[in-house]
Amino acid sequence: MRVLIVTAVPAERDAVVRGCGAADAAEVAVPGRVLHRLRTGGPDGPPLTVDVLAAGVGPAAAAAGTATALT
């Protein structure tokens, strides 16, 4: 399963990344932004990929960042 979390600013993104507590984290370049990809999941559950992106403030920035991350 994959989850995309979009925040407004990098400080929020970093807090989400720390809160996920993933052992394996990678930075993935997307046009104009950096997406943090975390892989979690344990022996009892299915693997989970969490993508965290700081898209910018406002609905237009959130929409553009989300569209970029999904494509």
Side-chain angles (χ1 to χ4, degrees):
M1 175 189 288
R2 290 184 73 169
V3 176
L4 173 63
I5 300 173
V6 179
T7 66
V9 295
E12 293 172 336
R13 178 201 60 213
D14 295 343
V16 171
V17 169
R18 281 192 309 273
C20 286
D24 179 23
E27 291 185 358
V28 178
V30 296
R33 295 173 175 80
V34 175
L35 181 131
H36 291 251
R37 180 161 289 159
L38 313 166
R39 299 192 191 281
T40 63
D44 298 334
L48 176 65
T49 300
V50 180
D51 292 336
V52 187
L53 176 72
V57 178
T66 302
T68 300
L70 292 175
T71 57

